[in-house]
Amino acid sequence: MNCRARAIPFPTYRWKLNNWDIDLTKDRYSMVGGRLVINNPEKSRDAGKYVCVVSNIFGTVRSYEATLSFGYLDPFPPEERYEVKVREGVGAVLLCEPPYHYPDDLSYRWLLNEFPVFIALDKRRFVSQTNGNLYIANVEASDKGNYSCFVSSPSITKSVFSKFIPLIPQSDRAKVYPADIKVKFKDTYALLGQNVTLECFALGNPVPELRWSKYLEPMPASAEISMSGAVLKIFNIQYEDEGLYECEAENYKGKDKHQARIYVQAAPEWVEHINDTEKDIGSDLYWPCVATGKPMPTIRWLKNGASFRKGELRMQSLTFDDAGMYQCIAENTHGIIYANAELKIVASPPTFELNPMKKKILAAKGGRVIIECKPKAAPKPKFSWSKGTELLVNGTRIRIWDDGSLEIVNITKLDEGRYTCFAENNRGKANSTGVLEMTEATRITLAPLNVDVTVGENATMQCIASHDPTLDLTFIWSLNGFVIDFEKEHEHYERNVMIKSNGELLIKNVQLRHAGRYTCTAQTIVDNSSASADLVVRGPPGPPGGIRVEEIRDTAVALTWSRGTDNHSPISKYTIQSKTFLSEEWKDAKTDPSDIEGNMESATVIDLIPWMEYEFRIIATNTLGTGEPSMPSQRIRTEGAPPNVAPSDVGGGGGSNRELTITWMPLSREYHYGNNFGYIVAFKPFGEKEWRRVTVTNPEIGRYVHKDESMPPSTQYQVKVKAFNNKGDGPFSLTAVIYSAQDAPTEIPTDVSIKVLSSSEMSVSWHHVSDKSVEGYQIRYWAAHDKEAAAQRVQVSNQEYSTKLENLKPNTRYHVDVSAFNSAGYGPPSRTIDVITRKAPPSQRPRIISSVRSGSRYIITWDHVEAKSNESAVEGYKVLYRPDGQHEGELFSTGKHTIEVPVPSDGEYVVEVRAHSEGGDGEVAQIKISGAAAGVPTLLLVLVVPALGVLVCSGF
């Protein structure tokens, strides 16, 4: 553990454990500087709170406490877990029951059947990170298996898993069950700035939808919902996020709610803390030390490492014994903070060496002057003043302040002269002298006048002043008490600097924000004078405020608001705009009354979409224009209503054997009009009276497949679809006519034949079947040592009679069959044909041993390639003669080990050589050749190419 302090002279360090001094002479401990090292720490001896204590001749300070803990995660008990039997459709909870552990920062997952197969979480399955339990909203047959709770501790990087729990779904006619919340979050205390996680999960069939809300308030902007709605995370939580949170679970069978409160608290933070302080002997000390936090922190003090006082620190009549190192400690249940400072007590006679009086003091005629007298002295001295030889006393025009300063008011010429300040305490005395001179007073001679303008116009504020000619005069303008920065505001403000003693202000292209009280201040280094005037700016209205949404119905809401500023022109009308999550664009809303006059503060927004989230804002208008919009209202959701739009594009047909596929265009969110939205699909054979109905609960799905083994193929059906929600059903769509799926092919392709092309390719051909519904053919092939389930498949259209199979393994036996298919499925396969691919081509590259130029030809020679026992025998060689940088060229075949090629007429050419066999072409070797340079006589050039170096080899 590290401890380091700044101190002169160098300090001494010692450590305490649980307020007991640590014996650093023991071998278990070692310390360099303030760093404490514990060798082979043990929980029984070393766990606890550690404090570093640092001292030198000026005092002692204590460090923050550091806690040493020992983490652990025990294994799960060895006892077998009981099997869990649950009826299909019923919810289930598998208990994790984690073993003893520290710290409490575990993460949980569940294994299925074996490691490392972890179950995937979705809307139906949830693992609580609070207790580790696995929750299944409704059990399905596919959930059968053995489950194990897998627990990890990131602090000690250790994981353990429980004995497996067999889950056995019991087959039963699926029933529906209302939502039932089983994962419930508790009242939560969170620290300011932390991230907070709340969990909520419900059992039910169908799977309940989960919704989060904050009671009577909008959700925090940093809130994020994940895990299919089961987890609410609030990042960087703030005080305004405190409140009551609600989770609602609902399916069409029923709903359930759960509420709990989040309390936001905070560790201590300094508002004002102590700093090194120097005080006079005998003086008083008030040392403010203020901290904020929730709950409010308590304050206590240490002096030289020992407990001193509680609460605020006030000390009277300081002595040298009060000097030392002080620590102010603020603490609450969430933390502790320290502030350290040294208190020095000083004593000295008065001296003006560091702060003498000004030699020359200027004062304006009729004005006021303060002559400072600030010697260094401890304790505080007594002060007296003289003018020349005259001793000054307090009067109507003259006053000596407690801090020694001399104040003179209503200055006249007679007040000029030499002034001396005398300071004396019990340790000595001193004095300092300065000369007072009078100047002419500064006066505003032409003050600014009130101005009334419209937005966009210019305005002028006059200001002329008189002053002492020996002094420089400057003008300062302020608006509503804030000094105008002419550099930053040069687009709108300009001063007249051409005429001396004239501070005229020009305001260009006036905007509403420029309205207010303007003050001109004429000042010298001695005095100043001010005058003010008002600028009234007329313009479009300001934004309305206080928007409230009331009387929320399915297609209408009532709005109330408060008037904004009219900016000196009466408001003539209001416009209400709305926005939904469907678009970021604000649109004018339809209202009742349709025209909202300027004296109104309420209206009804109509023709809204049911069960839709809305925000509203209001814009005011007057004769000078349209103002800025108000702040958006709180987001609300209109009440639900039955759907009034039918799905479109109803159709379907085709599909697999004994299936009826019905399709439609799903309705967009704006037409859902309510919760638990879905579709009712009705269908019947053409000519029958009874309609069969099914429910599709997923609003995003636009397809339903009905399976019936007794359904005849290509049968005509009538179908129609309507939407529903928790408020009722909508209208049916127009009736469409579709056909059930046709039968899969029953014929077997005949005359299947295979031709082996190389070690990696073969060609498959067949005769077509007579069935006109066939859409194509599937060719399956798999190696004899593989299982049929691993077969690869190639599909071709019904126009093809053959296809090529590629990327096969050399010298390998393959099984091949062919079957016909259509939209209903695959027909029976042909008889399986066995075939063996060729041996692989030679892997050895030809070694080019020479390149000899003879007149207009090059003679290229290479060594013969010997095939290995598992490779195809060499049947000859292929030589490609091509320009360098191109892929195309002239191809030669030869059974020899040499070939002649023409000398290139221009540039370089590449000669590629490879062995050829029935298994295909082998690896390539290549060499570059070039034409004769100009002026070189035609000679026989012999180039012997070494095995390494110049030769470049690559594969095709």
Side-chain angles (χ1 to χ4, degrees):
M1 284 172 278
N2 291 312
C3 179
R4 185 169 59 186
R6 293 192 300 272
I8 298 176
F10 192 80
T12 60
Y13 294 87
R14 53 195 175 91
W15 283 84
K16 289 177 174 286
L17 169 58
N18 298 329
N19 279 330
W20 292 90
D21 284 335
I22 294 177
D23 185 357
L24 298 175
T25 62
K26 292 183 177 180
D27 293 340
R28 298 184 63 249
Y29 302 106
S30 60
M31 190 170 70
V32 177
R35 184 184 185 188
L36 174 67
V37 177
I38 305 172
N39 301 307
N40 299 318
E42 298 176 7
K43 180 179 179 180
S44 59
R45 291 199 289 180
D46 299 312
K49 297 180 183 294
Y50 287 76
V51 173
C52 174
V53 182
V54 188
S55 305
N56 71 3
I57 60 174
F58 292 103
T60 301
V61 291
R62 291 166 62 99
S63 71
Y64 285 90
E65 286 184 347
T67 301
L68 176 60
S69 303
F70 290 75
Y72 64 92
L73 175 59
D74 289 348
F76 275 93
E79 290 80 19
E80 295 294 330
R81 297 284 189 108
Y82 293 109
E83 66 181 15
V84 177
K85 295 182 179 180
V86 185
R87 294 197 312 275
E88 292 180 11
V90 176
V93 181
L94 301 186
L95 302 182
C96 178
E97 298 177 336
Y100 293 114
H101 58 274
Y102 181 85
D104 194 15
D105 61 348
L106 303 182
S107 64
Y108 301 92
R109 290 185 291 174
W110 280 77
L111 296 167
L112 177 59
N113 295 326
E114 61 181 350
F115 182 86
V117 180
F118 294 98
I119 66 166
L121 304 182
D122 50 29
K123 291 179 65 173
R124 200 173 59 85
R125 296 183 292 192
F126 176 70
V127 175
S128 171
Q129 295 304 308
T130 302
N131 56 27
N133 294 343
L134 170 62
Y135 297 83
I136 304 176
N138 51 67
V139 171
E140 299 177 353
S142 59
D143 293 323
K144 182 178 181 180
N146 296 312
Y147 291 78
S148 171
C149 181
F150 187 86
V151 181
S152 299
S153 173
S155 298
I156 61 173
T157 61
K158 181 180 178 181
S159 299
V160 294
F161 55 88
S162 69
K163 290 288 187 177
F164 281 93
I165 305 172
L167 176 61
I168 305 173
Q170 303 292 297
S171 180
D172 191 7
R173 181 181 178 184
K175 295 181 181 179
V176 293
Y177 299 94
D180 180 14
I181 295 178
K182 289 298 184 184
V183 180
K184 299 179 179 181
F185 53 97
K186 301 177 181 178
D187 285 351
T188 302
Y189 288 83
L191 281 181
L192 183 71
Q194 281 188 339
N195 300 334
V196 176
T197 300
L198 304 181
E199 295 181 339
C200 178
F201 190 76
L203 310 185
N205 188 25
V207 177
E209 293 288 335
L210 298 172
R211 291 186 298 275
W212 291 87
S213 62
K214 186 181 181 187
Y215 184 65
L216 296 180
E217 294 182 71
M219 289 284 278
S222 65
E224 182 180 285
I225 297 173
S226 60
M227 299 298 291
S228 301
V231 174
L232 170 66
K233 286 188 177 180
I234 305 174
F235 296 91
N236 188 26
I237 197 165
Q238 301 298 307
Y239 286 124
E240 58 267 25
D241 299 330
E242 185 173 274
L244 188 65
Y245 286 79
E246 179 179 276
C247 170
E248 181 181 79
E250 183 178 9
N251 59 17
Y252 70 83
K253 189 67 176 175
K255 68 170 63 175
D256 192 11
K257 291 183 179 180
H258 172 69
Q259 291 180 335
R261 185 171 293 275
I262 292 180
Y263 299 91
V264 181
Q265 301 194 333
E269 286 188 13
W270 289 121
V271 175
E272 185 178 8
H273 62 77
I274 58 175
N275 294 295
D276 291 345
T277 300
E278 187 177 281
K279 298 292 288 186
D280 296 344
I281 191 168
S283 64
D284 298 336
L285 170 68
Y286 168 59
W287 228 347
C289 186
V290 182
T292 186
K294 194 174 179 182
M296 183 61 67
T298 59
I299 301 293
R300 59 186 175 93
W301 295 81
L302 302 179
K303 179 184 177 185
N304 292 327
S307 180
F308 185 59
R309 290 187 186 175
K310 294 183 179 179
E312 66 176 22
L313 181 61
R314 293 181 183 271
M315 302 170 69
Q316 287 80 35
S317 302
L318 294 171
T319 68
F320 288 118
D321 290 338
D322 295 317
M325 294 300 302
Y326 288 77
Q327 291 179 280
C328 176
I329 303 173
E331 58 187 323
N332 65 11
T333 55
H334 301 297
I336 181 170
I337 51 177
Y338 287 67
N340 307 331
E342 180 185 6
L343 175 62
K344 285 185 178 180
I345 307 299
V346 295
S348 66
T351 175
F352 286 93
E353 290 182 3
L354 299 178
N355 195 19
M357 279 179 57
K358 292 182 179 179
K359 296 301 180 184
K360 184 178 181 180
I361 303 109
L362 299 179
K365 180 180 180 180
R368 166 177 174 265
V369 68
I370 295 175
I371 307 174
E372 292 184 339
C373 179
K374 293 185 176 181
K376 181 180 180 182
K380 181 181 176 180
K382 294 181 179 179
F383 296 96
S384 60
W385 282 84
S386 69
K387 178 188 175 188
T389 59
E390 177 189 0
L391 185 66
L392 300 179
V393 295
N394 288 339
T396 56
R397 294 179 52 247
I398 296 177
R399 180 187 171 200
I400 301 174
W401 289 7
D402 288 342
D403 67 353
S405 299
L406 175 66
E407 178 184 14
I408 307 173
V409 298
N410 298 325
I411 300 292
T412 67
K413 190 73 174 176
L414 296 176
D415 292 320
E416 291 185 328
R418 294 171 59 84
Y419 288 80
T420 302
C421 173
F422 297 91
E424 181 177 0
N425 67 10
N426 58 7
R427 293 178 178 269
K429 55 186 176 180
N431 63 75
S432 184
T433 301
V435 176
L436 176 66
E437 295 183 3
M438 190 192 74
T439 64
E440 291 297 321
T442 303
R443 297 282 185 268
I444 299 288
T445 57
L446 185 59
L449 301 176
N450 295 338
V451 182
D452 189 325
V453 296
T454 300
V455 168
E457 296 180 345
N458 294 341
T460 301
M461 293 276 188
Q462 60 188 10
C463 186
I464 297 178
S466 63
H467 66 290
D468 191 295
T470 64
L471 303 176
D472 291 330
L473 178 69
T474 58
F475 289 90
I476 297 174
W477 282 92
S478 60
L479 170 59
N480 298 328
F482 295 95
V483 175
I484 296 173
D485 188 329
F486 286 88
E487 289 188 5
K488 290 184 178 179
E489 298 281 348
H490 67 275
E491 292 184 3
H492 293 285
Y493 291 108
E494 186 178 299
R495 280 185 296 193
N496 188 343
V497 295
M498 303 302 295
I499 305 175
K500 192 175 182 181
S501 302
N502 188 341
E504 181 180 82
L505 172 67
L506 173 63
I507 310 171
K508 302 176 290 184
N509 187 22
V510 174
Q511 301 299 309
L512 291 172
R513 68 177 185 274
H514 297 139
R517 190 164 188 79
Y518 284 80
T519 300
C520 172
T521 301
Q523 72 175 24
T524 65
I525 60 172
V526 177
D527 68 338
N528 63 73
S529 179
S530 298
S532 300
D534 292 322
L535 175 64
V536 176
V537 181
R538 303 182 187 276
I547 300 179
R548 296 181 61 186
V549 185
E550 302 171 340
E551 300 176 25
I552 301 172
R553 300 188 292 275
D554 56 351
T555 60
V557 297
L559 292 184
T560 61
W561 62 90
S562 58
R563 295 167 57 86
T565 57
D566 62 9
N567 291 323
H568 311 288
S569 179
I571 297 172
S572 57
K573 70 169 186 176
Y574 289 101
T575 302
I576 298 178
Q577 295 183 326
S578 65
K579 184 178 75 169
T580 71
F581 76 91
L582 300 174
S583 171
E584 289 298 315
E585 180 183 356
W586 288 94
K587 298 179 181 179
D588 290 352
K590 193 172 182 180
T591 61
D592 182 19
S594 57
D595 294 323
I596 307 173
E597 298 180 357
N599 60 354
M600 298 178 64
E601 293 187 6
S602 65
T604 300
V605 183
I606 59 176
D607 290 353
L608 300 176
I609 300 172
W611 204 64
M612 178 62 69
E613 290 184 345
Y614 279 95
E615 290 177 281
F616 300 95
R617 70 180 188 183
I618 303 175
I619 303 173
T621 302
N622 62 16
T623 56
L624 297 177
T626 298
E628 292 293 319
S630 68
M631 292 292 291
S633 70
Q634 178 182 341
R635 184 178 298 167
I636 62 96
R637 176 181 284 169
T638 52
E639 291 293 325
N644 64 5
V645 177
S648 61
D649 296 340
V650 177
S656 299
N657 195 18
R658 303 293 186 257
E659 289 183 352
L660 177 67
T661 302
I662 304 168
T663 61
W664 62 93
M665 179 65 69
L667 293 176
S668 59
R669 165 65 182 81
E670 59 192 292
Y671 297 113
H672 287 190
Y673 287 9
N675 197 15
N676 291 338
F677 182 84
Y679 302 97
I680 295 175
V681 182
F683 56 95
K684 67 183 181 68
F686 197 84
E688 290 189 8
K689 292 183 179 181
E690 283 296 324
W691 290 86
R692 181 167 181 177
R693 299 188 179 195
V694 294
T695 300
V696 178
T697 58
N698 189 335
E700 309 298 327
I701 289 179
R703 184 172 184 268
Y704 171 73
V705 178
H706 175 66
K707 296 183 179 182
D708 186 349
E709 292 300 323
S710 63
M711 182 188 304
S714 302
T715 301
Q716 193 178 50
Y717 276 80
Q718 290 177 292
V719 297
K720 56 185 179 180
V721 183
K722 68 177 178 180
F724 73 90
N725 61 22
N726 59 337
K727 295 294 183 179
D729 296 351
F732 268 115
S733 66
L734 296 175
T735 301
V737 176
I738 63 174
Y739 291 85
S740 62
Q742 57 195 355
D743 274 340
T746 57
E747 291 186 62
I748 298 174
T750 59
D751 293 338
V752 177
S753 63
I754 299 176
K755 181 179 179 181
V756 177
L757 304 178
S758 69
S759 61
S760 61
E761 296 177 333
M762 66 175 68
S763 174
V764 184
S765 60
W766 61 89
H767 282 176
H768 283 193
V769 299
S770 59
D771 190 343
K772 300 300 182 184
S773 71
V774 169
E775 299 175 2
Y777 294 87
Q778 175 179 268
I779 298 88
R780 296 193 311 160
Y781 60 98
W782 65 98
H785 59 268
D786 290 337
K787 295 181 180 179
E788 184 176 349
Q792 298 189 62
R793 293 166 170 78
V794 174
Q795 291 185 347
V796 297
S797 72
N798 60 3
Q799 304 297 317
E800 302 292 335
Y801 287 85
S802 65
T803 190
K804 182 189 289 187
L805 305 181
E806 301 176 323
N807 298 319
L808 304 176
K809 296 178 181 178
N811 196 27
T812 302
R813 180 183 296 276
Y814 279 89
H815 303 312
V816 183
D817 63 27
V818 182
S819 58
F821 68 86
N822 60 16
S823 61
Y826 296 94
S830 67
R831 66 180 181 85
T832 301
I833 299 178
D834 289 357
V835 65
I836 300 175
T837 54
R838 310 287 189 199
K839 290 183 178 181
S843 58
Q844 178 188 344
R845 291 187 178 91
R847 189 171 73 91
I848 299 175
I849 56 177
S850 69
S851 175
V852 179
R853 179 172 174 177
S854 176
S856 62
R857 312 286 287 177
Y858 266 105
I859 302 172
I860 312 296
T861 306
W862 58 90
D863 281 342
H864 175 60
V865 173
E866 293 288 346
K868 299 178 181 177
S869 60
N870 62 342
E871 296 175 346
S872 300
V874 175
E875 296 178 348
Y877 298 91
K878 290 182 178 179
V879 180
L880 179 64
Y881 177 70
R882 60 176 176 82
D884 189 19
Q886 298 182 21
H887 297 292
E888 302 294 330
E890 189 174 357
L891 183 65
F892 303 94
S893 293
T894 178
K896 302 178 180 179
H897 304 155
T898 182
I899 196 168
E900 294 185 9
V901 294
V903 173
S905 59
D906 184 32
E908 289 188 323
Y909 269 62
V910 175
V911 179
E912 297 181 351
V913 182
R914 70 181 73 205
H916 174 67
S917 70
E918 67 172 4
D921 296 334
E923 296 292 324
V924 66
Q926 66 180 29
I927 188 173
K928 289 184 180 180
I929 60 175
S930 58
V936 176
T938 304
L939 299 172
L940 181 63
L941 299 178
V942 178
L943 173 64
V944 178
V945 183
L948 298 173
V950 179
L951 181 62
V952 180
C953 297
S954 65
F956 278 160

